[in-house]
Amino acid sequence: MKSGGWSEAFGKQIGLGYVRPDLAALGTRVQVRMLRQSWEAAVIEDRPHDPAIARIRADGGAARLAPPVGRREGGGAAPA
């Protein structure tokens, strides 16, 4: 498990992680280890909240993502 937390959109805990290719089929039940406990989980589709990426593309495709942390537009490191 790489990341996880409560999802207001789904009303339950969700997580992000990697599985072996033979376990990657949608609906596959797996056990994940997090905080020294084992939890049941299921493989779901990528971007379950917005499969068509419609929210990002709502402005006709002109939407831009923020530059990565520590970077600013035009390149170079952001001032400290």
Side-chain angles (χ1 to χ4, degrees):
M1 183 68 57
K2 291 294 198 177
S3 178
W6 179 257
S7 169
E8 288 294 327
F10 297 117
K12 60 183 168 183
Q13 295 284 343
I14 62 171
L16 174 66
Y18 296 97
V19 296
R20 296 186 324 247
D22 60 310
L23 298 174
L26 294 181
T28 301
R29 307 294 297 176
V30 295
Q31 292 282 320
V32 296
R33 189 144 177 88
M34 185 173 64
L35 301 175
R36 298 182 183 176
Q37 293 184 3
S38 241
W39 303 86
E40 288 189 24
V43 175
I44 62 170
E45 66 272 7
D46 189 20
R47 299 180 306 270
H49 61 284
D50 188 12
I53 317 174
R55 288 173 32 187
I56 285 180
R57 296 181 179 164
D59 67 353
R64 295 173 14 118
L65 299 176
V69 174
R71 298 295 239 175
R72 60 189 164 132
E73 291 195 38

